Amino acid sequence: MRVLFVEGKEKEVLLDLARELPHPYWLLAGEGIWLLEVFGAGEEAMAKARALPGVKVWAFTLQDGVVYRGCGKKSATSP
């Protein structure tokens, strides 16, 4: 699976892009900067991201990962 990373300083610009795409995403906040991760993104998503002013764009192929392993304790968010 391809993961698209889009770094920018304007949260709304990144959210608008994310909501326009039919892929799951995460938006991470840093100090004065935002990082959008889009999962399963193709060439069209990459082209849309590159067309945005003032952003940096990277794409990687996911090799391994775990979304949720659990902590062994029952909580309100446990599956």
Side-chain angles (χ1 to χ4, degrees), residues 44-76:
E44 182 181 342
M46 193 111 163
K48 286 182 180 187
R50 285 189 172 132
L52 297 174
V55 301
K56 294 179 183 175
V57 180
W58 300 271
F60 293 85
T61 301
L62 181 64
Q63 296 295 307
D64 190 16
V66 175
V67 174
Y68 179 80
R69 208 174 261 162
C71 63
K73 298 178 184 176
K74 190 70 176 161
S75 72

Side-chain angles (χ1 to χ4, degrees), residues 1-61:
M1 173 176 42
R2 191 174 204 185
V3 183
L4 177 66
F5 294 87
V6 186
E7 176 189 302
K9 293 187 177 187
E10 295 188 39
K11 176 184 177 181
E12 292 306 317
V13 170
L14 297 179
L15 276 177
D16 287 347
L17 171 64
R19 292 175 180 149
E20 193 177 307
L21 300 172
H23 307 290
Y25 68 88
W26 288 349
L27 182 63
L28 307 172
E31 292 185 27
I33 199 152
W34 297 89
L35 181 65
L36 174 66
E37 295 182 42
V38 182
F39 301 91
E43 291 301 321
E44 182 181 342
M46 193 111 163
K48 286 182 180 187
R50 285 189 172 132
L52 297 174
V55 301
K56 294 179 183 175
V57 180
W58 300 271
F60 293 85
T61 301

